[in-house]
Amino acid sequence: MNYVEFFKQLSKDDIPIAGGKGANLGELTNAGIPVPPGFVITAGTYQKFITETGIVDQINDMLATLDINNTPELQKVAEDIKQLIVTTDIPDDIQTAIIESYNKLCMDVEKEDVVVAIRSSATAEDLPDASFAGQQDTYLNISGIDDVLTNVRMCWASLFEARAIFYRAENDFDHSKVLIAVVVQQMVNSEKAGVMFTVDPSTGEEEMLIEGAWGLGEGVVSGTVTPDTCRYDKANDEVKSYRINTKKTMFTKDPETGATVQIEVPDDLKDKRVLTDSDLEQLTQLGRKIQKHYGAPMDTEWGIENDKVYMLQARPITTLDNIDVAKNAESLDDDEERVIITRGLGASPGLVSGTVKIIRELDELDKILDGDILVTTMTTPDMVPAMKRANGIVTDEGGVTCHAAIISRELGIPCVAGTGEATTVLEENSKITIDGKKGLVYEGEFGGDKDDVEADETQINVGAAPIVTVTDVKVNVSMAEAAKKAYATGADGVGLLRTEHMMLATGIVPYKFIDEGREDELVQVLVDNILKVVDVFYPKTVWYRTLDAPTDEFKTLEGGENEPDEANPMLGWRGIKRELDQPDILKAEFKAIKKLHEQGYTNIGVMLPLLHKPSELREAKEIARSVGLIPHVDVDFGMMVETPASAIIIEDFLAEGLDFVSFGTNDLTQYTLALDRNNELVAKHYTEAHPAVMKLIMNVIKKCNEAGVTTSICGQAGSKPEIVEKLVESGISSISANTDAVPTIRKLVAKVEKKIMLDAARKVLNDE
Ligand code: PEP
Ligand code: MG
């Protein structure tokens, strides 16, 4: 394992190693975008640091009993963990690697003790697309190796800020699977800086949104300053609007101490326009280039020094899936008839009412109760726990692109940012209504509740709705609670409903239910969870995948002490192999499906994992019949193609009788390339695009098409454009992607289908 990687060695696929920020800085560098040079201390290095020093166990113990909704307790545990990390010595070999890399950077840029920015870049092992916006720290204007090492440790510690712990727990991210990489990058002393979204992040419209303020970008990103806001019409290549806001403070380098300081903006600059026409031209050109390069709308940070634009970060916009027509339509058209108390920026759409609670200090957050409107000077990520309880959010400062605004969009909470005066003009305990699309705050209550807005099942994703494709675009679901959000993408069904989380969330190993004669309870857990998904999607098909959890995943559950210790759980007792050895679980699953089928849910299919021989399919069908669930009659019966064996002899499986197959490329890749998908040491070799994996897939599509059997993909590769393109060209029947990737994949599928038709038409014309 390399402790350190320079940007040139990294690409966007390196998120597990370098985190989102580090991987994307590598991608931008290699795409020829101006990025200040630097390197990344990898996520594996952090993991080695906590494991080798033994502090990992202490950290886990502290987190194990923590109640994240108890704010004082959360803050104390966060402080204790951070303290532990910053006071633990870094092992010698890691320290040497960091020192050597810093010295190399100094040589590359020909500067002694080059001044750097040190930024954290979090990554989740299993969830490379997760957004951890603004949850970890950044240290600016650091110079000299001693300070670099100190700040690297502080960066590692920032993984345990209270808000970060809260966010992970709320989003069901396992703390131990979220790691942190550290970006060390030459500092740009920006005279002006800000953010640029390559489409409007709150409506999804093809309009770039650029925010800029004086000094370093931290002011805009953290929401401390209300920046100038520019909307840029991409179709007509012109500035649609430019709003000059009063910029009170700025972050800059203190010329004497070299430290980053927050100062008052000089009077002549406060109301001066920040971005010149030439700045906007450079920025929008880079924005287009970056979006084209990634093939997706992007959220970027930039800085301008001596009239040159540098890109400091880029990541896909994560909030577009939450946007829905219903919510946008809630904006009022008859503003004049209502009394507007104050105006700001529409940061997260939705029309909601509630009681004003003004927060001046973080320790007042407890006073926010369910349904209140949180009013504060500036939104910060520390407020997330209280934001979750609030019905809406109003701030004095901050732009629509500050991190807390991003989180409020992700949480689906309406937000009006940058009013300049909310904390002084709004009265504590008064009733107000906010319009998070138009950025208006009204007197009185006439709006809804954030949950009503969110629960509206008629919501349709604006990006997804108008596009019709012949190849179905489906969605993967792993938690019943996520079904509505998945449905809102407009997906054509669920191509993979994983049962592991639903079963393991009981906290008890499923086998214990059986051993204790509590099968009925297990069946009921399954019925309750599956129902939430098949009901939302009805009549669209949901493929339920039977249990496939490696033994190591059961260990911490009640009853997990009896699980065997396997040297290679990935090659061990999982999937269909275990289900046939202990058929009671499979029986319980089939009983749950039968029960739902009897209630009229005819939209369920059964999908078996990890098969390697046709007899497994035959035996599973027998078990289904034994509980009265008739394969191919009551339910479609299919299998995952996850082992090279099943791909090579697919004809033999087809002969057994199949309604569909779905490629589980996560496993198919690990078994074809002999690379453990959970082992980060070999992660750099792991790619589904390997010709051997693609050849296996192509063989199965061809044979299934000949036999008239539906094919699909539900592994992570189904969310990767370059692979999806090849599969559509080869005639796959459907693609099942992650919720966040559905709109992009749908557009891509439509494009590839059009290209196929165009090529065919051209061929006919040429042949004539
Ligand atoms: C796969 O292997 O690609 C798959 C979708 O299954 P899982 O990731 O749950 O193993
Ligand atoms: Mg799998």
Side-chain angles (χ1 to χ4, degrees), residues 197-508:
F197 280 60
T198 65
V199 303
D200 183 324
S202 55
T203 64
E205 281 166 46
E206 278 293 319
E207 217 174 75
M208 286 198 208
L209 176 62
I210 303 169
E211 293 188 332
W214 302 115
L216 303 171
E218 315 315 301
V220 178
V221 173
S222 64
T224 327
V225 60
T226 308
D228 284 7
T229 308
C230 170
R231 292 188 174 275
Y232 191 85
D233 177 351
K234 282 159 92 174
N236 297 311
D237 224 347
E238 62 186 19
V239 173
K240 194 172 155 197
S241 68
Y242 190 103
R243 177 169 157 175
I244 301 175
N245 284 311
T246 306
K247 297 153 293 280
K248 291 187 202 142
T249 62
M250 62 190 279
F251 287 83
T252 186
K253 179 175 167 177
D254 183 321
E256 279 172 21
T257 63
T260 308
V261 284
Q262 186 175 354
I263 57 165
E264 194 182 331
V265 174
D267 282 345
D268 57 332
L269 291 181
K270 274 191 180 128
D271 290 310
K272 189 176 169 192
R273 178 178 167 140
V274 175
L275 293 164
T276 63
D277 290 346
S278 144
D279 296 338
L280 287 171
E281 196 180 316
Q282 281 191 67
L283 278 165
T284 51
Q285 271 177 13
L286 282 174
R288 281 181 197 280
K289 195 168 167 188
I290 293 169
Q291 175 160 338
K292 185 158 180 248
H293 180 78
Y294 279 86
M298 299 295 286
D299 162 2
T300 68
E301 287 173 27
W302 51 268
I304 298 180
E305 186 182 29
N306 297 329
D307 293 329
K308 184 170 160 54
V309 176
Y310 293 91
M311 296 313 298
L312 306 174
Q313 201 187 142
R315 59 178 167 246
I317 299 177
T318 52
T319 54
L320 291 176
D321 290 347
N322 275 355
I323 298 163
D324 58 77
V325 173
K327 238 187 205 179
N328 285 336
E330 293 225 354
S331 251
L332 283 184
D333 289 326
D334 54 352
D335 308 341
E336 285 71 31
E337 292 170 24
R338 312 275 185 187
V339 180
I340 297 172
I341 313 174
T342 182
R343 292 168 191 266
L345 306 164
S348 174
L351 188 77
V352 286
S353 300
T355 308
V356 169
K357 293 284 166 64
I358 301 172
I359 300 295
R360 295 208 159 79
E361 300 292 335
L362 280 178
D363 62 11
E364 292 177 296
L365 287 173
D366 280 351
K367 75 177 178 189
I368 303 287
L369 303 177
D370 285 346
D372 288 341
I373 306 281
L374 187 161
V375 179
T376 187
T377 316
M378 68 174 175
T379 52
T380 72
D382 296 90
M383 296 183 182
V384 172
M387 285 164 72
K388 274 212 77 172
R389 296 194 291 276
N391 223 11
I393 292 151
V394 183
T395 70
D396 288 352
E397 298 171 355
V400 295
T401 54
C402 71
H403 284 134
I406 290 175
I407 299 292
S408 84
R409 282 196 290 275
E410 249 185 38
L411 294 172
I413 302 170
C415 175
V416 176
T419 59
E421 57 178 15
T423 57
T424 43
V425 299
L426 294 178
E427 233 174 85
E428 183 84 358
N429 293 322
S430 63
K431 308 282 185 196
I432 59 166
T433 298
I434 71 168
D435 181 336
K437 188 183 177 203
K438 288 193 182 148
L440 298 173
V441 178
Y442 301 91
E443 230 174 65
E445 288 187 295
F446 51 88
D449 188 83
K450 69 162 190 263
D451 296 329
D452 301 338
V453 178
E454 254 195 319
D456 188 336
E457 284 178 30
T458 60
Q459 59 186 342
I460 303 162
N461 183 278
V462 279
I467 306 174
V468 176
T469 56
V470 178
T471 313
D472 281 343
V473 178
K474 301 187 177 188
V475 67
N476 295 342
V477 176
S478 302
M479 281 186 289
E481 308 89 273
K484 279 190 184 140
K485 193 173 170 205
Y487 179 77
T489 61
D492 298 309
V494 176
L496 168 65
L497 172 60
R498 287 187 170 99
T499 195
E500 292 74 35
H501 193 275
M502 306 193 289
M503 274 202 226
L504 307 189
T506 59
I508 304 172

